[in-house]
Amino acid sequence: MPELPEVETTRRGIEPHVQGRTITKIVLRRPDLRWPIPEAIRTELLGARVDAVERRAKYLLLHTSRGTAIVHLGMSGMLRVLPRGTPAATHDHVDLELDSGQLLRLTDPRRFGCLLWQPLGTTHELLRDLGPEPLSDSFDGSLLYARSRKRSAAVKVMLMDQATVVGVGNIYACESLYAAGIRPTRAAGSISRPRYDRLAAEVKRILAHAIQRGGTTLRDFLAPDGAPGYFEQELQVYGREGEPCKTCGSLVRAKLVGQRNTFYCSRCQS
DNA sequence: CGACACACCTGGATGC
DNA sequence: TGCATCCAGGTGTGTC
């Protein structure tokens, strides 16, 4: 489900309800997510106050004075803020009850997501080798260019590699490459510096705009208040196989690239 | 190290 | 209506 815009939308949605609140109770209904929820969540997070809600890559970080709870939403995860006492449904795996009378509920049908604990002063392995944030100044065309030299893999695979730049998943990789006029299958090492400048600029523009629109709701993504994202209406190629390209009218194609369905216009993208 | 296939899991859409 | 099949927004792991 969520790429960077959806995770950021989630962060913005929960922050006003969670920041400054103390966790008064933790209900673990299914601890077997991608990795088992560690015992430290019970022992350390309970009674702790959430000082800040941060996003790093596609991870949400609940910072407390004792350490940080790390949440990843995987493909189908969702966080909602609900009144305490709201009955739980099948895939509601975790409730963090707050001293406000509300609860933060983690729902994740496929259980590709996780809830982990990072003790104060340490950096979790999962956060260690991440690339730069795409909306920061440390991400630009020169970084993509430098990283791409002598790489034969498809540019789309490199763009989706979280060690290159974080937060770009299948939807936004397709959309950014379309906007930049680059064929997703192109070998990363065969693309010029100016084209990478353009690509970096389009990644930034598209992600920023998607955040503004509340993310993309394809099937089931909802913000913590239940609102869908509105970026779907602005998708240019993703999910549009066989439909006319919005620029030139030729039909959008789909092809597997790096095991993921990839959408592009063979006329506009080279 | 890079490239690639695969695994994890469930629900919804599709086709017979 | 029922059932088999395919597909999905992510990413760590194993193999070459």
Side-chain angles (χ1 to χ4, degrees):
Chain A
M1 179 219 322
E3 301 183 38
L4 185 145
E6 293 74 40
V7 178
E8 179 60 24
T9 296
T10 300
R11 191 197 69 75
R12 293 179 185 191
I14 69 172
E15 182 180 46
H17 303 282
V18 172
Q19 187 172 34
R21 311 270 40 143
T22 297
I23 313 281
T24 54
K25 186 179 175 186
I26 299 178
V27 180
L28 302 181
R29 298 189 189 82
R30 265 207 90 143
D32 55 331
L33 304 185
R34 173 154 200 184
W35 295 285
I37 296 172
E39 198 50 39
I41 288 290
R42 233 191 265 274
T43 57
E44 301 293 306
L45 189 57
L46 183 63
R49 196 186 72 133
V50 179
D51 297 318
V53 182
E54 186 194 6
R55 179 193 55 73
R56 171 70 175 115
K58 298 172 191 168
Y59 295 93
L60 284 166
L61 308 176
L62 307 183
H63 293 296
T64 79
S65 61
R66 304 175 192 170
T68 298
I70 301 174
V71 178
H72 196 290
L73 299 175
M75 290 276 265
S76 58
M78 175 162 54
L79 281 174
R80 282 169 301 165
V81 176
L82 300 165
R84 193 183 296 169
T86 305
T90 312
H91 303 296
D92 296 340
H93 306 312
V94 182
D95 285 352
L96 303 181
E97 297 194 2
L98 309 170
D99 59 356
S100 59
Q102 294 184 302
L103 57 82
L104 183 64
R105 176 165 288 171
L106 175 63
T107 305
D108 185 3
R110 292 175 75 178
R111 287 185 284 121
F112 286 177
C114 63
L115 170 58
L116 299 169
W117 181 253
Q118 174 180 268
L120 198 64
T122 67
T123 300
H124 198 283
E125 271 186 21
L126 292 174
L127 306 182
R128 202 160 287 164
D129 298 319
L130 294 174
E133 285 290 326
L135 297 176
S136 73
D137 290 341
S138 53
F139 171 65
D140 59 17
S142 72
L143 179 138
L144 288 177
Y145 182 74
R147 218 185 136 77
S148 66
R149 292 309 89 184
K150 298 189 177 170
R151 285 185 70 164
S152 63
V155 58
K156 178 175 179 253
V157 172
M158 186 188 80
L159 187 62
M160 289 178 65
D161 181 346
Q162 303 298 295
T164 302
V165 58
V166 301
V168 182
N170 202 28
I171 294 177
Y172 299 106
C174 291
E175 294 296 310
S176 300
L177 288 162
Y178 172 77
I182 298 170
R183 186 84 62 111
T185 49
R186 282 284 297 255
S190 74
I191 296 171
S192 69
R193 172 61 200 270
R195 301 190 82 197
Y196 274 124
D197 287 341
R198 174 82 187 280
L199 179 58
E202 294 296 352
V203 166
K204 287 172 189 280
R205 182 182 66 78
I206 288 170
L207 291 179
H209 185 59
I211 291 170
Q212 207 179 358
R213 307 251 60 198
T216 301
T217 297
L218 287 187
R219 276 165 280 282
D220 49 15
F221 171 73
L222 298 176
D225 63 358
Y230 294 101
F231 192 74
E232 185 196 358
Q233 302 157 14
E234 302 183 36
L235 296 176
Q236 303 298 301
V237 286
Y238 185 87
R240 299 191 62 247
E241 181 183 12
E243 295 175 38
C245 166
K246 294 186 177 182
T247 302
C248 76
S250 59
L251 301 187
V252 172
R253 299 191 185 189
K255 174 175 185 170
L256 272 191
V257 179
Q259 319 289 106
R260 311 299 297 278
N261 207 5
T262 301
F263 302 88
Y264 66 100
C265 172
S266 60
R267 189 154 161 206
C268 296
Q269 293 172 263
S270 55

